[in-house]
Amino acid sequence: MANKVEVKELLDAGVHFGHLTRRWNPNMAPYIYMERNGIHIINLYKSAAKMQEAGDALAKIAASGRKILFVATKKQAKEIVAEQAEKANMPYITERWPGGMLTNFVTIRKAVKKMASIDRMKKDGTFNSLSKKERLQVDRLRAKLEKNLGSISDMSRLPAALFVVDTTREHIAIKEAQKLNIPIFAMVDTNSDPREVDYLIPSNDDASKSISKVVSYVADSIVEGLSERKSDKPAKKKEEKASKEEKSDKAPKATKEKAEVPSKDAEDRKAMKEAKKDVKLESKSETLDKAKSSNEEE
């Protein structure tokens, strides 16, 4: 369960400031409280409710062990998102969105592997055998890959969800996620379309204070989900161990009941032989002779 959101804290962070009234998206009307000095004011009670809803959903995804990709390439959000994503141990994109990042994930993974292969070259000494010009080219390629893809080097498969700051700016990431049916969580300002997002947080996505407030809350929710996952693991292991012990206890008893060990005592053996004589079955010829004799008597 995500922490409760205080409306006063959102107000202090300036989350309620929207865009100019002439730049608004009519689909954001349900989340707009009023207009003041030509600027739309966002309803913070709705923002708080949506933040809590998004936080709970993200905590569940994190508890399942899947990754959540943070996307924010605008100047005022870069450092904040990178810091909070690292705190939550999640991948993030803060430079230019690489086209096909999700829809052509195999190619992106190849680029990440290329980065890893350059690191191996440096470790095993192959890098030193190259000429000065080649080493310079390899270093430049490594720096470029690190800048664009370094933050997603641990992401071995597609993310379970996307968290986006400013859906209008990150429209390519939104389209790719929609194609692959990946749930989208986003900070949505009054100039954006909320219909593109699965879990929206109506908020000011231009001020660094507002971005910091929302993203830190989201990161804390993910950390909470991860801690729940860690605490659940020992309990599951104990249950599995207990069930295995129960099965192992039952198995020997069943075999003991089935397998009968013959007695070694001489008297018992003699009694068994006599018992077998008493219950000895007649042969086929004996039964036929008896049947004939009984018929003749009749």
Side-chain angles (χ1 to χ4, degrees):
M1 183 73 181
N3 297 325
K4 195 176 179 183
V5 185
E6 293 294 332
V7 174
K8 191 180 182 302
E9 289 177 10
L10 298 180
L11 187 70
D12 294 339
V15 176
H16 59 293
F17 290 115
H19 274 271
L20 294 167
T21 51
R22 58 189 168 84
R23 290 181 60 197
W24 80 308
N25 189 310
N27 293 304
M28 280 297 288
Y31 307 102
I32 293 170
Y33 176 66
M34 64 181 289
E35 177 199 331
R36 182 177 287 173
N37 301 328
I39 293 171
H40 276 131
I41 304 298
I42 295 165
N43 188 332
L44 287 181
Y45 287 98
K46 289 191 176 181
S47 295
K50 289 290 181 183
M51 269 177 79
Q52 200 149 352
E53 186 187 334
D56 290 339
L58 287 166
K60 283 177 185 175
I61 292 168
S64 70
R66 299 291 302 276
K67 294 286 184 185
I68 297 145
L69 179 64
F70 284 72
V71 185
T73 59
K74 66 195 318 182
K75 193 179 177 182
Q76 56 269 48
K78 277 184 182 183
E79 288 181 12
I80 297 162
V81 168
E83 185 188 335
Q84 294 300 329
E86 281 174 8
K87 185 180 85 173
N89 195 25
M90 291 293 164
Y92 59 91
I93 296 286
T94 53
E95 297 302 323
R96 186 184 67 84
W97 174 265
M101 166 76 201
L102 301 176
T103 51
N104 196 11
F105 188 67
V106 177
T107 308
I108 298 295
R109 279 301 300 165
K110 282 179 184 174
V112 173
K113 284 176 183 175
K114 178 73 178 171
M115 197 163 59
S117 69
I118 292 167
D119 291 340
R120 280 198 299 273
M121 280 171 66
K122 287 184 177 181
K123 281 182 183 178
D124 61 22
T126 316
F127 182 75
N128 296 326
S129 64
L130 300 171
S131 67
K132 189 177 179 181
K133 188 180 178 182
E134 285 173 330
R135 285 202 300 269
L136 189 64
Q137 286 173 341
V138 169
D139 277 334
R140 281 175 182 168
L141 176 64
R142 176 70 178 77
K144 188 180 177 183
L145 290 169
E146 178 63 39
K147 186 182 178 184
N148 294 323
L149 305 172
S151 58
I152 60 159
S153 55
D154 296 331
M155 197 170 75
S156 56
R157 57 176 177 169
L158 284 168
L162 238 68
F163 182 84
V164 180
V165 177
D166 194 345
T167 55
T168 308
R169 188 184 177 93
E170 313 301 343
H171 63 280
I172 300 170
I174 298 287
K175 293 292 180 203
E176 287 190 32
Q178 285 172 344
K179 275 186 181 179
L180 299 170
N181 295 320
I182 295 171
I184 303 161
F185 297 75
M187 289 179 69
V188 183
D189 211 329
T190 54
N191 67 330
S192 304
D193 190 353
R195 295 174 301 176
E196 294 179 342
V197 177
D198 299 293
Y199 293 86
L200 78 148
I201 301 170
S203 52
N204 177 5
D205 61 13
D206 292 313
S208 55
K209 265 191 177 182
S210 172
I211 294 165
S212 179
K213 183 66 191 170
V214 176
V215 176
S216 62
Y217 176 81
V218 165
D220 290 341
S221 299
I222 292 168
V223 169
E224 195 180 319
L226 290 170
S227 62
E228 277 178 23
R229 178 177 169 78
K230 283 178 185 176
S231 62
D232 287 346
K233 273 185 179 179
K236 282 182 181 178
K237 280 183 181 178
K238 281 182 182 179
E239 284 176 14
E240 285 173 8
K241 196 177 180 182
S243 63
K244 279 180 183 178
E245 284 175 0
E246 282 177 18
K247 284 178 184 177
S248 61
D249 289 341
K250 286 176 184 177
K253 287 178 184 177
T255 50
K256 281 177 186 176
E257 286 171 7
K258 287 179 183 177
E260 289 184 7
V261 181
S263 178
K264 292 181 180 179
D265 190 44
E267 289 181 6
D268 286 347
R269 285 183 177 182
K270 193 177 178 183
M272 284 293 291
K273 280 182 182 178
E274 287 174 3
K276 281 179 182 178
K277 283 177 186 177
D278 293 339
V279 295
K280 190 179 178 184
L281 293 171
E282 294 173 345
S283 64
K284 190 178 179 182
S285 57
E286 285 174 346
T287 51
L288 287 169
D289 290 340
K290 276 187 179 181
K292 281 178 184 179
S293 61
S294 63
N295 287 334
E296 284 172 4
E297 286 173 6
E298 286 174 0

